[in-house]
Amino acid sequence: MSDSEYALLARLEAKDGKESEVQEFLESALPMAEDEPDTTTWFALRMGESTFGIFDTFPDEDGRQAHLDGEIAAALLEQADDLLAEDPQIEEVDVLAAKHA
């Protein structure tokens, strides 16, 4: 499991009427995640009508930090005031067990 022990779990709450724009932003971020060599997995999630999330994994702390300093985070923070009802809730989490196909 050494390629995905370190993870991030981000929760995003869209402003009223901005749900489709948040979804579009997340869908458009996939190519940026694919370009990150230390991002092992990356998932954009919809958890409710206006609640979205991102879950991603990394082989080590350096990969996780590189992602936090990368293009997706910068783009999200740039658009946060327009799209989000509150600041993104980003948690550093550790993966205890995983199955990769």
Side-chain angles (χ1 to χ4, degrees), residues 39-80:
T39 298
T40 309
T41 59
W42 187 88
F43 298 91
L45 313 167
R46 186 168 200 158
M47 298 181 277
E49 184 63 33
S50 61
T51 305
F52 297 83
I54 300 171
F55 178 76
D56 36 19
T57 64
F58 315 91
D60 53 33
E61 182 59 42
D62 289 340
R64 180 163 58 186
Q65 190 58 50
H67 179 73
L68 287 169
D69 295 336
E71 287 184 72
I72 297 171
L76 179 60
L77 292 176
E78 183 179 305
Q79 297 182 46

